[in-house]
Amino acid sequence: MATNHVSDDIAELFDAAKAVRDHAHAPYSGFSVGAAIRAGSGQVFGCCNVENSAYPEGTCAEAGAISKMVAAGERVIDTIVTVCGGELVGTPCGGCRQKIREFATNDTTIVVCDLDGERSRYSMAELLPDSFGPEHLSGSAC
Ligand code: THU
């Protein structure tokens, strides 16, 4: 029986992330991840992790979803939902936190799910406090 809840505000993203997770290429870790972003326009972009036999060349699900969003001309992450298995809450890795940060606002929500539904949700500041972002570069010439 499903124990976790999928609230209405993330239902579309949860379904998209869970579906794209089925396409994960994770033969080395065996850990499949799906991610789906609702961008500023409302459009949804999803991707899975894509591992590589040259291990460091693998890419995370969040990174793929962000690339799709940017390639479509979007620059704001309203909400990002990730879906993975495992007992522990599968929070985004450090690199993905920084990648999300690039396109986050004060209202961006990051929702971490397992296959049954939501485990935790965070603001960007909760996941990456005192973070470095684009505003640090603007107006600085040195
Ligand atoms: N992974 C993600 O896709 N997102 C994360 O934020 C954490 C880790 C992937 C990378 C690798 O393919 C597998 O999960 C195990 O680390």
Side-chain angles (χ1 to χ4, degrees), residues 44-122:
V44 171
F45 301 94
C47 200
C48 51
N49 53 333
V50 182
E51 297 183 350
N52 194 284
S53 51
Y55 295 171
E57 299 305 324
T59 50
C60 288
E62 296 92 323
I66 289 168
S67 292
K68 288 176 72 175
M69 182 193 85
V70 170
E74 303 251 16
R75 293 291 185 273
V76 172
I77 297 175
D78 174 72
T79 307
I80 179 166
V81 169
T82 63
V83 175
C84 63
E87 285 300 307
L88 300 175
V89 179
T91 48
C93 73
C96 284
R97 293 178 194 209
Q98 185 66 42
K99 289 181 175 77
I100 296 166
R101 165 65 171 88
E102 182 73 12
F103 303 104
T105 70
N106 289 334
D107 297 323
T108 295
T109 304
I110 300 105
V111 186
V112 179
C113 299
D114 63 22
L115 302 182
D116 294 323
E118 180 169 337
R119 296 288 298 273
S120 288
R121 65 173 63 198
Y122 308 91

